[in-house]
Coordinates of all heavy atoms in Angstrom, one line a residue:
M29 N 22.2 -2.7 4.7 CA 21.4 -2.0 3.7 C 20.1 -2.8 3.4 O 20.1 -4.0 3.4 CB 22.2 -1.7 2.5 CG 21.6 -0.5 1.7 SD 22.8 -0.1 0.3 CE 22.6 -1.3 -0.8
D30 N 19.0 -2.1 3.2 CA 17.7 -2.7 2.9 C 17.9 -3.5 1.5 O 18.6 -2.9 0.6 CB 16.6 -1.6 2.9 CG 16.3 -1.1 4.2 OD1 16.7 -1.7 5.2 OD2 15.6 -0.1 4.3
A31 N 17.1 -4.5 1.4 CA 17.1 -5.3 0.1 C 16.4 -4.4 -1.0 O 15.4 -3.8 -0.7 CB 16.3 -6.6 0.2
P32 N 17.0 -4.4 -2.1 CA 16.3 -3.7 -3.3 C 14.9 -4.3 -3.6 O 14.7 -5.4 -3.3 CB 17.2 -3.8 -4.4 CG 18.2 -4.8 -4.1 CD 18.2 -4.9 -2.6
V33 N 14.0 -3.6 -4.2 CA 12.7 -4.0 -4.5 C 12.7 -5.5 -5.2 O 12.0 -6.4 -4.9 CB 11.9 -3.1 -5.4 CG1 10.6 -3.7 -5.9 CG2 11.5 -1.9 -4.5
A34 N 13.7 -5.6 -6.2 CA 13.7 -6.8 -6.9 C 13.9 -8.1 -6.1 O 13.5 -9.2 -6.5 CB 14.9 -6.7 -7.9
E35 N 14.6 -7.9 -4.9 CA 14.8 -9.1 -4.0 C 13.7 -9.3 -3.0 O 13.8 -10.3 -2.4 CB 16.2 -8.8 -3.2 CG 17.5 -8.9 -4.1 CD 18.6 -8.6 -3.3 OE1 18.6 -8.6 -2.1 OE2 19.7 -8.3 -4.0
A36 N 12.7 -8.4 -2.9 CA 11.7 -8.6 -1.9 C 10.5 -9.3 -2.5 O 10.1 -9.1 -3.6 CB 11.2 -7.2 -1.5
D37 N 9.9 -10.1 -1.7 CA 8.8 -10.9 -2.2 C 7.4 -10.1 -1.7 O 6.4 -10.2 -2.3 CB 8.6 -12.3 -1.6 CG 9.8 -13.2 -2.1 OD1 10.2 -13.0 -3.2 OD2 10.2 -14.0 -1.3
V38 N 7.7 -9.4 -0.6 CA 6.5 -8.6 -0.1 C 6.9 -7.2 0.1 O 8.0 -6.9 0.6 CB 6.1 -9.1 1.5 CG1 4.9 -8.2 2.0 CG2 5.7 -10.6 1.3
I39 N 6.2 -6.1 -0.4 CA 6.5 -4.8 -0.4 C 5.4 -4.1 0.4 O 4.1 -4.2 0.0 CB 6.6 -4.2 -1.9 CG1 7.9 -4.9 -2.5 CG2 6.8 -2.7 -1.9 CD1 7.6 -5.7 -3.6
F40 N 5.7 -3.2 1.2 CA 4.6 -2.3 1.9 C 4.7 -1.0 1.3 O 5.8 -0.4 1.3 CB 4.9 -2.4 3.4 CG 4.9 -3.7 4.1 CD1 6.0 -4.6 4.2 CD2 3.7 -4.2 4.5 CE1 6.0 -5.7 4.7 CE2 3.7 -5.6 5.0 CZ 4.9 -6.3 5.1
V41 N 3.6 -0.5 0.9 CA 3.5 0.8 0.3 C 2.5 1.8 1.0 O 1.3 1.4 1.2 CB 3.0 0.7 -1.3 CG1 2.9 2.1 -1.9 CG2 3.9 -0.2 -2.0
D42 N 3.0 2.8 1.5 CA 2.1 3.6 2.4 C 2.1 5.1 1.6 O 3.0 5.5 1.1 CB 2.9 3.7 3.7 CG 2.0 4.5 4.7 OD1 0.8 4.5 4.7 OD2 2.7 5.0 5.7
F43 N 0.9 5.6 1.9 CA 0.6 6.8 1.2 C -0.6 7.5 1.8 O -1.4 6.8 2.4 CB 0.3 6.6 -0.3 CG -0.8 5.5 -0.6 CD1 -2.1 5.8 -0.5 CD2 -0.3 4.2 -0.8 CE1 -3.0 4.7 -0.6 CE2 -1.2 3.2 -0.9 CZ -2.6 3.4 -0.9
P44 N -0.8 8.9 1.5 CA -2.0 9.6 2.1 C -3.1 9.3 1.1 O -2.9 9.3 -0.1 CB -1.6 11.1 2.1 CG -0.5 11.1 1.1 CD 0.2 9.9 1.0
I45 N -4.3 9.1 1.6 CA -5.5 9.0 0.7 C -5.7 10.5 0.2 O -5.9 11.5 1.0 CB -6.7 8.6 1.5 CG1 -6.6 7.2 1.9 CG2 -8.0 8.7 0.6 CD1 -6.6 6.0 0.9
W46 N -5.8 10.6 -1.1 CA -6.1 11.9 -1.8 C -7.4 11.6 -2.7 O -7.4 10.7 -3.6 CB -5.0 12.3 -2.8 CG -3.9 13.0 -1.9 CD1 -3.7 13.2 -0.6 CD2 -2.8 13.7 -2.6 NE1 -2.6 13.9 -0.3 CE2 -2.0 14.3 -1.5 CE3 -2.4 14.0 -3.8 CZ2 -0.8 15.0 -1.7 CZ3 -1.3 14.7 -4.0 CH2 -0.5 15.2 -2.9
W47 N -8.4 12.4 -2.5 CA -9.7 12.4 -3.2 C -10.1 10.8 -3.2 O -10.4 10.3 -4.3 CB -9.5 12.8 -4.6 CG -8.8 14.2 -4.6 CD1 -7.7 14.7 -5.3 CD2 -9.4 15.4 -4.0 NE1 -7.5 16.0 -5.0 CE2 -8.5 16.5 -4.1 CE3 -10.5 15.6 -3.2 CZ2 -8.7 17.8 -3.6 CZ3 -10.7 16.9 -2.6 CH2 -9.8 17.9 -2.8
Y48 N -10.2 10.2 -2.1 CA -10.7 8.9 -1.8 C -9.7 7.8 -2.4 O -10.2 6.6 -2.2 CB -12.0 8.8 -2.3 CG -12.9 9.9 -1.8 CD1 -13.3 10.9 -2.6 CD2 -13.4 9.7 -0.3 CE1 -14.1 12.0 -2.0 CE2 -14.1 10.8 0.1 CZ -14.4 11.9 -0.6 OH -15.1 13.0 -0.1
V49 N -8.7 8.0 -3.0 CA -7.8 7.0 -3.5 C -6.3 7.4 -3.3 O -6.0 8.3 -2.7 CB -8.1 6.7 -5.0 CG1 -9.4 6.1 -5.3 CG2 -7.8 7.9 -5.9
A50 N -5.5 6.5 -3.8 CA -4.0 6.8 -3.7 C -3.6 7.9 -4.7 O -4.1 8.1 -5.7 CB -3.2 5.5 -4.0
P51 N -2.6 8.8 -4.3 CA -2.1 9.8 -5.2 C -1.6 9.1 -6.5 O -1.0 8.1 -6.4 CB -1.0 10.5 -4.5 CG -1.3 10.2 -3.0 CD -2.0 8.8 -3.0
H52 N -1.7 9.8 -7.6 CA -1.3 9.2 -8.9 C 0.2 8.7 -8.8 O 0.6 8.0 -9.7 CB -1.6 10.2 -10.0 CG -3.0 10.3 -10.3 ND1 -3.6 11.3 -11.1 CD2 -4.1 9.5 -9.9 CE1 -5.0 11.1 -11.1 NE2 -5.2 10.1 -10.5
I53 N 0.9 9.5 -8.1 CA 2.4 9.1 -8.0 C 2.5 7.5 -7.6 O 3.5 7.0 -8.0 CB 3.1 10.0 -7.2 CG1 4.7 9.8 -7.4 CG2 2.9 9.7 -5.7 CD1 5.5 10.9 -6.8
I54 N 1.6 7.1 -6.8 CA 1.6 5.7 -6.4 C 1.4 4.8 -7.7 O 2.0 3.7 -7.8 CB 0.5 5.4 -5.2 CG1 0.9 6.2 -4.0 CG2 0.7 3.8 -5.0 CD1 2.3 5.9 -3.5
N55 N 0.4 5.1 -8.6 CA 0.2 4.4 -9.8 C 1.6 4.5 -10.7 O 1.9 3.4 -11.2 CB -1.0 4.9 -10.7 CG -2.2 5.0 -9.9 OD1 -2.4 5.7 -8.9 ND2 -3.2 4.2 -10.3
S56 N 2.1 5.6 -10.7 CA 3.4 5.8 -11.4 C 4.5 4.9 -10.8 O 5.2 4.2 -11.7 CB 3.9 7.2 -11.4 OG 2.9 8.1 -12.1
F57 N 4.6 4.8 -9.5 CA 5.6 3.9 -8.9 C 5.4 2.5 -9.2 O 6.3 1.8 -9.6 CB 5.5 4.2 -7.4 CG 6.3 3.1 -6.6 CD1 7.7 3.2 -6.5 CD2 5.7 2.1 -5.8 CE1 8.5 2.3 -5.9 CE2 6.4 1.3 -5.0 CZ 7.8 1.3 -5.1
L58 N 4.1 2.0 -9.2 CA 3.8 0.7 -9.5 C 4.1 0.3 -10.9 O 4.5 -0.8 -11.3 CB 2.3 0.4 -9.1 CG 2.1 0.5 -7.6 CD1 0.6 0.2 -7.3 CD2 2.9 -0.4 -6.8
T59 N 3.9 1.2 -11.8 CA 4.0 0.9 -13.4 C 5.6 1.0 -13.7 O 5.9 0.4 -14.7 CB 3.2 1.9 -14.2 OG1 3.5 3.2 -13.9 CG2 1.8 1.7 -14.2
A60 N 6.2 1.7 -12.8 CA 7.7 1.8 -13.1 C 8.5 0.7 -12.8 O 9.7 0.6 -13.2 CB 8.2 3.1 -12.4
H61 N 8.0 -0.3 -12.1 CA 8.8 -1.5 -11.6 C 8.0 -2.8 -11.9 O 6.8 -2.7 -12.0 CB 9.0 -1.4 -10.2 CG 9.8 -0.3 -9.8 ND1 11.1 -0.1 -9.8 CD2 9.3 0.9 -9.2 CE1 11.4 1.0 -9.4 NE2 10.3 1.7 -9.0
D62 N 8.6 -3.8 -12.1 CA 8.0 -5.2 -12.2 C 7.8 -5.8 -11.0 O 8.7 -6.4 -10.3 CB 8.9 -6.1 -13.3 CG 8.2 -7.2 -13.6 OD1 7.2 -7.5 -13.1 OD2 8.8 -8.1 -14.4
F63 N 6.5 -5.9 -10.5 CA 6.1 -6.5 -9.3 C 5.5 -7.9 -9.5 O 4.9 -8.5 -8.6 CB 5.3 -5.6 -8.4 CG 5.9 -4.4 -8.0 CD1 5.5 -3.1 -8.6 CD2 6.8 -4.3 -7.0 CE1 6.2 -1.9 -8.1 CE2 7.3 -3.1 -6.5 CZ 7.1 -2.0 -7.1
S64 N 5.7 -8.5 -10.7 CA 5.2 -9.8 -10.9 C 5.6 -10.8 -9.8 O 6.6 -11.0 -9.5 CB 5.7 -10.3 -12.3 OG 5.6 -9.4 -13.3
G65 N 4.5 -11.5 -9.4 CA 4.7 -12.6 -8.4 C 4.9 -12.0 -7.0 O 5.1 -12.9 -6.0
K66 N 4.9 -10.8 -6.8 CA 5.2 -10.3 -5.5 C 3.8 -9.8 -4.8 O 2.8 -9.7 -5.4 CB 6.0 -9.0 -5.5 CG 7.4 -9.4 -6.0 CD 8.2 -8.1 -6.2 CE 9.6 -8.3 -6.9 NZ 10.6 -9.2 -6.2
T67 N 3.8 -9.7 -3.4 CA 2.7 -9.3 -2.7 C 2.9 -7.7 -2.3 O 4.0 -7.5 -1.9 CB 2.6 -10.0 -1.5 OG1 2.1 -11.3 -1.9 CG2 1.3 -9.5 -0.7
I68 N 2.0 -6.9 -2.5 CA 2.1 -5.5 -2.1 C 1.0 -5.2 -1.2 O -0.2 -5.4 -1.6 CB 2.0 -4.5 -3.4 CG1 3.1 -4.8 -4.4 CG2 1.9 -3.1 -2.9 CD1 3.1 -4.0 -5.7
V69 N 1.4 -4.8 0.0 CA 0.3 -4.5 1.0 C 0.3 -3.0 1.2 O 1.3 -2.3 1.3 CB 0.8 -5.1 2.4 CG1 -0.3 -4.9 3.4 CG2 1.3 -6.5 2.3
L70 N -1.0 -2.5 1.0 CA -1.2 -1.1 1.0 C -1.5 -0.5 2.4 O -2.3 -1.1 3.1 CB -2.4 -0.8 0.2 CG -2.4 -1.3 -1.3 CD1 -3.7 -1.1 -2.0 CD2 -1.2 -0.7 -2.1
F71 N -0.7 0.5 2.9 CA -1.1 1.2 4.0 C -1.4 2.7 3.6 O -0.8 3.2 2.6 CB 0.0 1.1 4.9 CG 0.3 -0.2 5.7 CD1 1.0 -1.2 5.2 CD2 -0.4 -0.5 6.8 CE1 1.2 -2.4 5.8 CE2 -0.3 -1.7 7.5 CZ 0.6 -2.6 6.9
A72 N -2.2 3.3 4.4 CA -2.4 4.8 4.1 C -2.7 5.5 5.4 O -3.2 4.9 6.4 CB -3.6 4.8 3.1
T73 N -2.7 6.9 5.3 CA -3.2 7.8 6.3 C -4.3 8.5 5.5 O -4.4 8.6 4.3 CB -2.1 8.7 6.7 OG1 -1.6 9.5 5.7 CG2 -1.1 8.0 7.6
S74 N -5.2 9.0 6.3 CA -6.4 9.8 5.7 C -7.0 10.8 6.6 O -6.5 10.8 7.9 CB -7.5 8.9 5.2 OG -8.2 8.4 6.3
G75 N -7.8 11.7 6.1 CA -8.5 12.6 7.0 C -9.7 11.9 7.6 O -10.5 12.6 8.3
G76 N -10.0 10.6 7.3 CA -11.1 9.9 7.8 C -11.7 8.9 6.8 O -12.4 8.0 7.2
S77 N -11.4 9.0 5.6 CA -11.8 8.0 4.5 C -11.1 6.7 4.8 O -10.0 6.6 5.3 CB -11.3 8.5 3.1 OG -12.0 9.7 2.7
D78 N -11.8 5.6 4.4 CA -11.3 4.3 4.4 C -10.7 4.1 2.9 O -10.6 5.0 2.2 CB -12.4 3.3 4.6 CG -11.9 2.1 5.4 OD1 -10.7 1.7 5.2 OD2 -12.6 1.4 6.2
F79 N -10.2 2.8 2.7 CA -9.5 2.5 1.5 C -10.5 2.8 0.3 O -10.1 3.2 -0.8 CB -9.1 1.1 1.4 CG -7.7 0.9 2.0 CD1 -7.5 0.3 3.2 CD2 -6.5 1.6 1.4 CE1 -6.3 0.1 3.9 CE2 -5.3 1.4 2.1 CZ -5.2 0.7 3.4
G80 N -11.8 2.4 0.5 CA -12.7 2.7 -0.6 C -12.3 1.9 -1.8 O -12.0 0.7 -1.8
R81 N -12.2 2.6 -3.0 CA -11.8 2.0 -4.2 C -10.2 2.1 -4.5 O -9.8 1.9 -5.7 CB -12.6 2.7 -5.4 CG -14.0 2.4 -5.5 CD -14.6 2.9 -6.7 NE -13.8 2.8 -7.9 CZ -13.7 1.6 -8.6 NH1 -14.4 0.5 -8.2 NH2 -13.0 1.5 -9.6
T82 N -9.5 2.4 -3.5 CA -8.1 2.5 -3.7 C -7.4 1.4 -4.3 O -6.7 1.5 -5.4 CB -7.4 2.8 -2.2 OG1 -8.0 4.0 -1.7 CG2 -5.9 2.9 -2.4
Q83 N -7.7 0.2 -3.8 CA -7.1 -1.0 -4.5 C -7.4 -1.2 -5.9 O -6.6 -1.5 -6.7 CB -7.4 -2.3 -3.6 CG -6.7 -3.5 -4.1 CD -6.9 -4.7 -3.3 OE1 -7.2 -4.6 -2.1 NE2 -6.9 -5.9 -4.0
D84 N -8.8 -1.1 -6.2 CA -9.1 -1.3 -7.5 C -8.5 -0.2 -8.4 O -8.1 -0.6 -9.6 CB -10.7 -0.9 -7.6 CG -11.6 -2.1 -7.0 OD1 -10.9 -3.2 -6.7 OD2 -12.7 -1.9 -6.8
E85 N -8.4 1.0 -8.0 CA -7.8 2.0 -8.9 C -6.3 1.8 -9.1 O -5.6 2.4 -10.0 CB -7.9 3.4 -8.3 CG -9.4 3.9 -8.2 CD -9.9 4.3 -9.5 OE1 -9.2 4.7 -10.4 OE2 -11.1 4.0 -9.7
L86 N -5.7 0.9 -8.3 CA -4.2 0.5 -8.4 C -4.0 -0.7 -9.3 O -2.9 -1.0 -9.8 CB -3.5 0.4 -7.1 CG -3.4 1.7 -6.2 CD1 -2.9 1.4 -4.9 CD2 -2.5 2.7 -6.9
E87 N -5.1 -1.6 -9.4 CA -4.9 -2.9 -10.1 C -4.3 -2.8 -11.6 O -3.6 -3.6 -11.9 CB -6.3 -3.6 -10.1 CG -6.7 -4.2 -8.7 CD -5.9 -5.3 -8.2 OE1 -5.0 -5.8 -8.8 OE2 -6.1 -5.7 -7.0
D88 N -4.8 -1.8 -12.2 CA -4.4 -1.7 -13.5 C -2.9 -1.2 -13.7 O -2.3 -1.1 -14.7 CB -5.2 -0.5 -14.3 CG -6.5 -1.1 -14.8 OD1 -6.7 -2.3 -14.6 OD2 -7.4 -0.3 -15.1
S89 N -2.3 -0.8 -12.6 CA -1.0 -0.3 -12.6 C 0.0 -1.5 -12.4 O 1.2 -1.3 -12.4 CB -0.7 0.8 -11.6 OG -1.5 1.8 -11.7
V90 N -0.4 -2.7 -12.1 CA 0.5 -3.7 -11.8 C 0.1 -5.0 -12.9 O -1.0 -5.1 -13.3 CB 0.3 -4.4 -10.4 CG1 0.9 -3.3 -9.4 CG2 -1.0 -4.8 -9.9
Y91 N 1.0 -6.0 -13.0 CA 0.6 -7.1 -13.7 C -0.3 -8.0 -13.0 O -0.3 -8.1 -11.8 CB 2.0 -7.9 -14.0 CG 3.0 -7.2 -14.9 CD1 4.2 -6.5 -14.5 CD2 2.6 -7.2 -16.4 CE1 5.0 -5.9 -15.4 CE2 3.6 -6.4 -17.2 CZ 4.6 -5.9 -16.7 OH 5.4 -5.1 -17.6
G92 N -1.1 -8.9 -13.7 CA -2.1 -9.7 -13.1 C -1.5 -10.6 -12.1 O -2.2 -11.0 -11.1
T93 N -0.1 -11.1 -12.1 CA 0.4 -12.0 -11.1 C 0.8 -11.2 -10.0 O 1.4 -11.9 -9.0 CB 1.5 -12.7 -11.8 OG1 2.5 -11.7 -12.2 CG2 1.1 -13.5 -12.9
T94 N 0.6 -9.9 -9.7 CA 1.0 -9.1 -8.6 C -0.2 -9.2 -7.7 O -1.4 -8.9 -8.1 CB 1.3 -7.7 -8.9 OG1 2.3 -7.7 -9.9 CG2 1.7 -6.9 -7.6
H95 N 0.1 -9.6 -6.5 CA -1.0 -9.7 -5.4 C -1.1 -8.5 -4.6 O -0.2 -8.2 -3.7 CB -0.8 -10.9 -4.5 CG -1.9 -11.0 -3.4 ND1 -1.6 -11.5 -2.1 CD2 -3.1 -10.7 -3.4 CE1 -2.7 -11.5 -1.4 NE2 -3.7 -11.0 -2.1
L96 N -2.1 -7.6 -5.0 CA -2.2 -6.3 -4.2 C -3.2 -6.6 -3.0 O -4.3 -7.3 -3.3 CB -2.8 -5.2 -5.1 CG -2.1 -4.3 -5.9 CD1 -3.1 -3.3 -6.5 CD2 -1.1 -3.5 -5.1
M97 N -2.9 -6.1 -1.9 CA -3.9 -6.3 -0.8 C -4.0 -5.2 0.3 O -3.0 -4.4 0.2 CB -3.7 -7.5 0.0 CG -2.2 -7.6 0.7 SD -2.0 -9.1 1.7 CE -3.0 -8.9 3.0
E98 N -5.1 -4.8 0.7 CA -5.4 -3.8 1.7 C -4.7 -4.1 3.0 O -4.9 -5.3 3.4 CB -6.8 -3.5 2.0 CG -7.5 -2.8 0.9 CD -8.9 -2.5 1.3 OE1 -9.4 -2.7 2.3 OE2 -9.7 -1.9 0.3
G99 N -3.9 -3.2 3.6 CA -3.4 -3.3 4.9 C -4.3 -2.7 5.8 O -5.5 -3.0 6.0
Q100 N -3.7 -1.5 6.4 CA -4.5 -0.7 7.3 C -4.4 0.7 7.1 O -3.4 1.2 6.5 CB -3.9 -0.9 8.7 CG -4.3 -2.2 9.5 CD -3.8 -2.1 10.9 OE1 -2.9 -1.7 11.2 NE2 -4.7 -2.8 11.7
I101 N -5.5 1.5 7.5 CA -5.4 2.9 7.5 C -4.8 3.3 8.9 O -5.1 2.8 9.9 CB -6.8 3.5 7.5 CG1 -7.6 3.1 6.3 CG2 -6.7 5.0 7.7 CD1 -7.1 3.8 5.0
L102 N -3.6 4.0 8.7 CA -2.8 4.2 10.0 C -3.1 5.5 10.7 O -2.1 6.1 11.0 CB -1.3 4.0 9.6 CG -0.9 2.6 9.1 CD1 0.5 2.7 8.6 CD2 -1.1 1.6 10.1
N103 N -4.3 5.9 10.8 CA -4.5 7.3 11.4 C -4.2 7.1 13.0 O -4.5 6.1 13.6 CB -6.0 7.7 11.2 CG -6.1 8.2 9.7 OD1 -5.1 8.4 9.0 ND2 -7.3 8.1 9.2
G104 N -3.9 8.3 13.5 CA -3.6 8.3 15.0 C -2.3 7.6 15.2 O -1.4 7.2 14.4
K105 N -2.0 7.5 16.5 CA -0.6 7.0 17.0 C -0.7 5.5 16.8 O -1.6 4.8 17.3 CB -0.4 7.3 18.3 CG 0.3 8.8 18.5 CD 1.2 8.7 19.7 CE 2.3 9.7 19.6 NZ 2.6 10.5 20.7
Q106 N 0.3 5.0 16.2 CA 0.4 3.6 16.0 C 1.7 3.0 16.6 O 2.8 3.4 16.2 CB 0.4 3.2 14.5 CG 0.2 1.8 14.2 CD -1.2 1.4 14.0 OE1 -2.1 2.3 13.9 NE2 -1.6 0.1 14.0
G107 N 1.6 2.2 17.6 CA 2.7 1.7 18.2 C 3.5 0.6 17.4 O 2.8 0.0 16.5
K108 N 4.8 0.7 17.3 CA 5.7 -0.3 16.6 C 5.2 -1.7 16.9 O 4.9 -2.6 15.8 CB 7.1 0.0 16.8 CG 7.9 -0.9 16.0 CD 9.4 -0.8 16.4 CE 10.3 -1.8 15.8 NZ 11.7 -1.6 16.1
E109 N 5.0 -2.0 18.1 CA 4.6 -3.5 18.5 C 3.2 -3.8 17.8 O 3.1 -4.9 17.4 CB 4.5 -3.6 19.9 CG 5.9 -3.8 20.5 CD 6.0 -3.8 22.1 OE1 4.8 -4.1 22.7 OE2 7.0 -3.5 22.7
E110 N 2.3 -2.9 17.8 CA 0.9 -3.2 17.3 C 1.1 -3.5 15.7 O 0.5 -4.3 15.2 CB 0.0 -2.1 17.4 CG -0.5 -1.8 18.8 CD -1.1 -0.5 18.9 OE1 -0.5 0.5 19.1 OE2 -2.4 -0.4 18.7
L111 N 1.9 -2.6 15.3 CA 2.2 -2.7 13.7 C 2.8 -4.1 13.4 O 2.4 -4.7 12.4 CB 3.0 -1.6 13.2 CG 2.9 -1.2 11.8 CD1 1.5 -1.0 11.3 CD2 3.7 0.2 11.5
V112 N 3.8 -4.6 14.1 CA 4.6 -5.7 13.8 C 3.6 -6.9 14.0 O 3.4 -7.9 13.3 CB 5.7 -5.9 14.8 CG1 6.3 -7.3 14.9 CG2 6.8 -4.7 14.5
E113 N 2.7 -6.7 15.1 CA 1.8 -7.8 15.3 C 0.8 -7.9 14.2 O 0.4 -9.0 13.9 CB 1.0 -7.5 16.7 CG 0.3 -8.6 17.3 CD -0.4 -8.3 18.6 OE1 0.3 -7.5 19.4 OE2 -1.6 -8.6 18.8
Y114 N 0.3 -6.8 13.7 CA -0.6 -6.8 12.7 C 0.1 -7.4 11.3 O -0.4 -8.3 10.7 CB -1.0 -5.4 12.3 CG -1.8 -5.3 11.1 CD1 -3.1 -5.9 10.9 CD2 -1.3 -4.8 9.9 CE1 -3.8 -5.9 9.9 CE2 -2.0 -4.9 8.7 CZ -3.3 -5.4 8.6 OH -4.1 -5.5 7.5
V115 N 1.3 -7.0 11.0 CA 2.0 -7.5 9.9 C 2.2 -9.0 10.1 O 1.9 -9.8 9.1 CB 3.2 -6.8 9.7 CG1 4.2 -7.6 8.6 CG2 3.0 -5.4 9.2
N116 N 2.5 -9.4 11.3 CA 2.7 -11.0 11.4 C 1.4 -11.6 11.4 O 1.5 -12.8 10.8 CB 3.3 -11.2 12.9 CG 4.8 -10.8 12.9 OD1 5.4 -10.6 11.9 ND2 5.3 -10.5 14.1
S117 N 0.3 -11.1 11.6 CA -1.0 -11.7 11.6 C -1.4 -12.0 10.1 O -2.3 -12.7 9.8 CB -2.2 -10.9 12.2 OG -2.4 -9.9 11.5
L118 N -0.8 -11.3 9.2 CA -1.1 -11.4 7.7 C -0.6 -12.7 7.2 O -0.8 -13.1 6.2 CB -0.6 -10.2 6.9 CG -1.1 -8.8 7.3 CD1 -0.3 -7.8 6.5 CD2 -2.6 -8.9 7.0
A119 N 0.5 -13.3 8.0 CA 1.0 -14.5 7.7 C 1.6 -14.5 6.2 O 1.2 -15.4 5.4 CB 0.1 -15.7 7.9
L120 N 2.4 -13.5 5.8 CA 2.7 -13.3 4.4 C 4.0 -14.3 4.2 O 4.8 -14.6 5.0 CB 3.2 -11.9 4.2 CG 2.0 -10.9 4.2 CD1 2.6 -9.5 4.2 CD2 1.0 -11.1 3.1
Ligands
LIG29 C1 -5.2 16.8 -2.2 C2 -5.7 16.2 -1.0 C3 -6.8 15.3 -0.9 C4 -7.2 14.7 0.1 N1 -8.2 13.9 0.0 C5 -8.7 13.1 1.0 C6 -9.8 12.3 0.9 O1 -10.4 12.1 -0.1 N2 -10.1 11.6 2.1 C7 -9.5 11.8 3.3 O2 -10.0 11.2 4.3 N3 -8.5 12.7 3.4 C8 -8.0 13.3 2.3 N4 -7.0 14.1 2.5 C9 -6.3 14.2 3.7 C10 -5.0 13.3 3.7 O3 -5.2 12.0 3.6 C11 -4.4 13.5 5.1 O4 -3.9 14.9 5.3 C12 -3.1 12.7 5.1 O5 -3.4 11.4 5.0 C13 -2.4 13.0 6.4 O6 -1.0 12.7 6.2 P1 0.1 13.9 6.4 O7 0.0 14.3 7.9 O8 1.5 13.3 6.0 O9 -0.4 15.0 5.5 C14 -6.5 14.9 1.3 C15 -5.4 15.7 1.4 C16 -5.0 16.4 0.3 C17 -3.8 17.4 0.4

């Protein structure tokens, strides 16, 4: 079984870009849990937009000791190997 959030040091959060940022349910998810000291990597799909202000708009939903970082926009076909290579390149 996958480790519960409390046991994870790094969490990958993926969502569609809505109106240039993450849907509000992502803010709600982040405020509903204590991610202090953890790293959250953002992934998204979109109709063409980049992350823009997405990360900034999520910062108020986490404690200051949570490290939020942009991952990738995953539009188009993404091979598992490319994704694994990318995640490994983050050296988390
Ligand atoms: C309410 C709404 C707002 C959206 N706003 C944007 C946007 O600002 N920029 C963008 O590139 N795509 C936007 N999209 C497109 C979605 O990001 C896109 O459909 C989604 O990432 C694709 O994932 P899906 O195939 O699971 O729907 C929006 C879609 C919806 C429904």
Side-chain angles (χ1 to χ4, degrees):
M29 196 165 76
D30 291 346
V33 166
E35 290 178 18
D37 294 325
V38 180
I39 294 115
F40 300 92
V41 178
D42 190 21
F43 47 83
I45 298 285
W46 279 7
W47 309 122
Y48 306 102
V49 292
H52 288 164
I53 195 170
I54 301 298
N55 300 67
S56 301
F57 170 69
L58 295 180
T59 53
H61 303 278
D62 182 359
F63 293 105
S64 305
K66 298 177 188 295
T67 297
I68 299 177
V69 188
L70 307 174
F71 285 92
T73 56
S74 79
S77 297
D78 211 331
F79 279 110
R81 288 188 42 77
T82 298
Q83 183 178 331
D84 286 347
E85 294 287 328
L86 294 173
E87 290 285 0
D88 282 349
S89 301
V90 294
Y91 291 107
T93 56
T94 306
H95 179 213
L96 269 185
M97 63 181 283
E98 284 184 9
Q100 278 189 327
I101 298 287
L102 299 173
N103 289 336
K105 273 213 157 135
Q106 192 91 13
K108 183 180 170 186
E109 282 174 20
E110 287 169 280
L111 204 49
V112 168
E113 196 176 318
Y114 172 72
V115 169
N116 287 338
S117 78
L118 298 176
L120 297 167

